[in-house]
Amino acid sequence: MTSEPPETPPTPLLDVELVTLFPEMFDSFLRASLLGRAIGGGIVRVNRTSPRDFARGRHRQVDDSPYGGGPGMILRPEPLAAAIETAEAARGRAYRVLLSPTGRLFDQTSAVALAGRGRLMLICGRYEGVDERIADTFAEDIVSIGDYVLAGGEMAAAVIIEAVARLVPGVLGCETSTADESFSAGRLEYPQWTRPPTFRGLAVPEVLLSGNHAQVETWRRLESLRRTETRRPDLLLRHPLTKDEQALQDGGKTKRRKKPR
């Protein structure tokens, strides 16, 4: 009696390579919640490779002082290059993203673009930075998650994995969720409520209890515009109001100015 060959694991829709000195930092993150289920179901795959495994010497040193002087230490190019090349030799070419505070700002548009890549490599910097020859030789994109500095790129990589993975079909329970969220159309998402209808004297807006779906949709669009205008006016500069939005906003202001009889 011949045994059947083992089933070939499904090809993941999102395949991520992490190049990091601290692969253990991702242990709980990759096991938890929707991402953990997506990895368990084969929809997402994340592999981790440490440059330290390719460092020479008894102490496996991966950093050195900067040429020209200055504070801190710089990641050497040899172990990083070896980690990148070994990961790709084992599992195939990936779109390489270097995580650095000097990179372009990551946003929802970036997440959508990376989700379309299918296979990504996130290269995590550490210490004072990465030898510039890694950026010159390997990086196809250099990305920052904000105008602040972290100790390394690992938290930035986690942010990007979360933002990108949730755009992959099958990761979220509701496939329409991502189309209605903050930044999906250059607007912040409208406020949300759930039960109970009154909490510590604060009531849910009546329109949400009305059952009138057209009124609810109009109200939500208006609240989205108000929230964006108040909290993130920069988004309106980059994504000006459409004619429909302008009419909606003008109508909302007119209603607020009317006094009860």
Side-chain angles (χ1 to χ4, degrees):
M1 183 176 179
T2 59
S3 60
E4 295 184 0
E7 291 185 8
T8 303
T11 302
L13 298 179
L14 177 63
D15 196 0
V16 180
E17 294 286 347
L18 279 171
V19 177
T20 169
L21 286 173
F22 299 98
E24 67 277 6
M25 289 180 67
F26 296 90
D27 287 347
S28 60
F29 169 69
L30 296 174
R31 288 196 303 263
S33 191
L34 295 173
L35 180 59
R37 288 205 292 271
I39 292 173
I43 300 172
V44 176
R45 180 173 67 181
V46 180
N47 287 292
R48 291 168 274 180
T49 304
S50 174
R52 198 175 298 280
D53 293 338
F54 304 92
R56 296 179 179 179
R58 186 176 64 179
H59 300 293
R60 293 194 174 277
Q61 184 177 347
V62 294
D63 58 347
D64 213 326
S65 55
Y67 280 123
M73 303 289 277
I74 307 298
L75 280 177
R76 294 175 62 103
E78 311 98 276
L80 272 171
I84 292 167
E85 291 169 343
T86 299
E88 291 191 337
R91 291 175 289 274
R93 182 73 162 83
Y95 183 74
R96 303 167 186 152
V97 180
L98 175 63
L99 304 174
S100 166
T102 66
R104 67 178 183 85
L105 194 62
F106 179 78
D107 58 14
Q108 189 67 16
T109 301
S110 307
V112 172
L114 291 180
R117 293 282 180 180
R119 182 161 162 74
L120 310 174
M121 175 177 286
L122 302 178
I123 305 166
C124 302
R126 267 279 150 179
Y127 312 124
E128 279 298 309
V130 172
D131 187 293
E132 188 64 18
R133 288 167 290 189
I134 291 296
D136 293 341
T137 305
F138 293 101
E140 292 163 290
D141 202 353
I142 303 176
V143 169
S144 167
I145 62 167
D147 294 336
Y148 46 87
V149 179
L150 303 173
E154 283 75 18
M155 293 299 99
V159 167
I160 291 173
I161 291 172
E162 175 92 2
V164 173
R166 61 197 311 281
L167 299 174
V168 174
V171 173
L172 292 183
C174 178
E175 297 304 325
T176 61
S177 294
T178 57
D180 215 21
E181 295 175 322
S182 293
F183 311 113
S184 59
R187 305 288 180 261
L188 299 184
E189 189 179 13
Y190 47 79
Q192 300 270 24
W193 286 264
T194 187
R195 294 180 178 84
T198 302
F199 173 71
R200 297 186 179 180
L202 299 174
V204 174
E206 290 184 10
V207 65
L208 299 180
L209 306 175
S210 68
N212 188 318
H213 298 297
Q215 287 185 5
V216 169
E217 175 64 21
T218 298
W219 181 88
R220 283 176 167 171
R221 288 185 63 201
L222 186 57
E223 288 302 309
S224 172
L225 290 173
R226 287 172 178 167
R227 177 173 277 188
T228 304
E229 186 177 43
T230 301
R231 300 183 183 179
R232 290 292 304 276
D234 59 295
L235 290 175
L236 294 177
L237 294 176
R238 284 186 276 155
H239 306 277
L241 294 177
T242 64
K243 290 182 179 179
D244 287 345
E245 288 175 330
Q246 186 65 63
L248 181 67
Q249 193 176 63
D250 291 343
K253 290 178 179 177
T254 299
K255 286 182 180 180
R256 290 201 304 273
R257 283 197 299 265
K258 285 184 178 180
K259 295 181 180 180
R261 295 180 180 177

